[in-house]
Amino acid sequence: AVLKKRLVKLVVNFLFYFRTDESEPIGALLLEHCRITKEEENVFSISFVEEPERKYCFECDSEEQCREWVEALKRASYEFMRRSLIFYRNEIQKMTGKDPLEQYGISEEARFQLGTQKP
Amino acid sequence: MKLNERSLAFYATCDSPADNAGFLYKRGERHTAYHRRWFVLKGNMLFYFEERESREPVGVIVLEGCNVELCDSAEEFTFAIRFGGAKSRTYVLAAENQAAMESWVKSLSRASFDYLRLVVRELEKQLEEMRWGPAAACGGCRGLPGPWKPKPLGLEQSAERLPALPAVPPKENGCAVWNNALGANRPPDTSGCEGHGGEGNLRPPPLPPRRRASSSEVGSAGAAAAGSPSNFCQLHEWYGREVARLRQDWLERRRGPRP
């Protein structure tokens, strides 16, 4: 496999990639139901649940950069962020007895209910 | 622009719960006829299918940076998803009744990742304030590990999209960051990181008496300040364990992750 140099941007739950001299992305990866794996030195890969053998590999300039990307990408999905919200909501509710989402008027919002999301 | 379409289709059709689903009429791009489609909202993605039973979506609308507004239209129960760019398309949709329209407008307006992140940050701030006092949340002991997105080095990113937060929570003024990740009720774990499961079912210890509003060292009420030797020993033991774990965690981070 040939390595091509790309500019890579993580924006919300998408990983965009560009040719280094262009302003429009060549492509994007939606980062849901994916697995981020640290591979050999400076390398990480992204694979998706429905096609686990197909790995998108990225080589970084350094181990540190590689680790930062792995951490960032593991937290990049909407589903991860949602689980965090549910967790914090639950914690605050336990500590104060009050639902912190009430002040935003979203406590009944289906998307933030405990127990409806898969782990 | 290439997209991992198979993964999108998988996300659309897998059995993770949808945030909203139902039939809506979608106005065509060039012709103003409305077509009935089956819509599924998951996270910040609004998928639409030709039929409810269709195996894959015919399209998707990414709900970032958009406004959802009611329409002044001859059609009843219409609303629009409007994007900012000059060349961006506005999607006009119509529901079958008032209740459905309201439900869709509500769920679509709150669907963006940006919105979710905003709420999460607010809750994190609240939690920090509760644990460490109001001063802590404003730049002092910042950073709960969890859903922060550290800014990868050397890459451009649009300023409003990603916070420039430290990847590792800083320790300032000798104040260790509360890391609840080791308890049973911990923030969602990043994938592949299975090591912390064995910590047991410990709840965080109660807030120390000095943190309680308007309590003095001498006069605090409450179990934590009872002052009897057995209570104090209990507290001491509890905090000691937490401190030991925090320290170990900090040391491990300094060594760096094992390959």
Side-chain angles (χ1 to χ4, degrees):
Chain A
V2 181
L3 283 180
K4 298 175 206 162
K5 188 162 187 178
R6 295 284 178 254
L7 175 66
V8 175
K9 275 199 200 187
L10 174 60
V11 181
V12 297
N13 51 347
F14 281 92
L15 190 67
F16 291 95
Y17 50 97
F18 304 68
R19 286 195 190 89
T20 50
D21 55 351
E22 291 176 8
S23 57
E24 288 297 313
I26 322 170
L29 297 175
L30 171 67
L31 299 169
E32 299 293 335
H33 297 283
C34 62
R35 185 175 195 92
I36 315 296
T37 313
K38 173 83 176 64
E39 306 279 356
E40 67 265 25
E41 194 176 358
N42 295 352
V43 176
F44 68 87
S45 69
I46 305 175
S47 61
F48 294 89
V49 157
E50 77 285 353
E51 209 183 356
E53 342 68 54
R54 165 52 154 143
K55 289 187 172 195
Y56 297 82
C57 288
F58 295 83
E59 185 177 305
C60 307
D61 281 338
S62 68
E63 261 303 290
E64 189 185 355
Q65 190 191 40
C66 188
R67 260 185 263 135
E68 284 194 11
W69 272 105
V70 169
E71 284 313 299
L73 293 170
K74 281 180 172 178
R75 294 169 164 77
S77 70
Y78 187 99
E79 297 305 325
F80 181 90
M81 188 67 82
R82 189 209 306 264
R83 290 199 298 275
S84 307
L85 183 148
I86 291 173
F87 168 77
Y88 289 129
R89 177 191 191 184
N90 193 37
E91 284 295 290
I92 294 172
Q93 189 144 25
K94 282 193 304 195
M95 287 172 84
T96 64
K98 286 202 297 200
D99 178 359
L101 295 189
E102 267 173 26
Q103 66 195 278
Y104 306 118
I106 54 175
S107 46
E108 300 308 306
E109 192 70 22
R111 63 173 65 229
F112 301 137
Q113 299 315 315
L114 249 183
T116 58
Q117 305 300 324
K118 291 175 91 158
Chain B
M1 189 189 78
K2 274 195 281 191
L3 209 48
N4 53 331
E5 287 186 10
R6 242 174 103 161
S7 309
L8 253 98
F10 175 81
Y11 186 42
T13 53
C14 75
D15 56 2
S16 67
D19 296 308
N20 206 340
F23 286 105
L24 289 170
Y25 295 87
K26 180 168 152 297
R27 198 168 76 185
E29 210 165 343
R30 278 154 297 172
H31 314 289
T32 50
Y34 284 80
H35 299 280
R36 192 172 187 247
R37 297 276 179 255
W38 176 253
F39 279 79
V40 173
L41 174 64
K42 280 195 185 179
N44 57 345
M45 317 283 287
L46 181 62
F47 298 97
Y48 51 98
F49 300 74
E50 190 149 344
E51 307 283 344
R52 186 172 179 169
E53 308 77 33
S54 302
R55 293 265 210 88
E56 6 180 276
V58 294
V60 62
I61 303 168
V62 180
L63 298 164
E64 294 297 328
C66 61
N67 278 321
V68 183
E69 35 191 67
L70 300 177
C71 270
D72 205 6
S73 161
E75 276 304 313
E76 276 192 299
F77 316 124
T78 49
F79 58 96
I81 305 174
R82 210 176 286 277
F83 290 87
K87 293 194 234 167
S88 294
R89 177 184 167 177
T90 294
Y91 296 85
V92 178
L93 302 169
E96 287 176 333
N97 53 59
Q98 181 74 14
M101 182 193 71
E102 285 176 8
S103 151
W104 274 105
V105 169
K106 237 172 45 175
S107 37
L108 293 172
S109 342
R110 290 164 184 161
S112 73
F113 190 102
D114 265 350
Y115 175 77
L116 181 63
R117 183 163 47 194
L118 205 77
V119 179
V120 168
R121 274 193 224 164
E122 274 305 308
L123 295 190
E124 277 174 330
K125 205 166 87 166
Q126 272 183 45
L127 212 48
E128 278 183 61
E129 281 175 6
M130 280 160 51
R131 286 170 170 168
W132 300 101
C138 319
C141 314
R142 225 177 140 131
L144 286 170
W148 294 125
K149 273 201 228 177
K151 182 175 178 168
L153 284 176
L155 290 154
E156 308 151 26
Q157 296 173 7
S158 74
E160 356 38 278
R161 292 245 173 253
L162 290 170
L165 290 164
V168 174
K171 297 185 192 310
E172 290 179 56
N173 303 324
C175 170
V177 171
W178 181 278
N179 182 351
N180 202 35
L182 303 173
N185 302 311
R186 54 198 178 84
D189 212 351
T190 54
S191 60
C193 183
E194 309 289 6
H196 295 120
E199 287 299 330
N201 223 351
L202 287 172
R203 304 198 65 231
L207 289 172
R210 68 181 179 279
R211 301 256 180 240
R212 297 209 180 145
S214 73
S215 69
S216 65
E217 295 287 353
V218 175
S220 333
S228 74
S230 61
N231 277 350
F232 179 80
C233 285
Q234 227 171 32
L235 264 183
H236 186 272
E237 158 69 354
W238 252 3
Y239 281 111
R241 267 188 262 157
E242 180 66 17
V243 168
R245 271 204 303 269
L246 278 171
R247 182 167 189 277
Q248 191 185 15
D249 194 50
W250 179 72
L251 284 172
E252 282 180 288
R253 270 189 224 185
R254 283 196 23 144
R255 280 197 289 267
R258 302 285 150 94

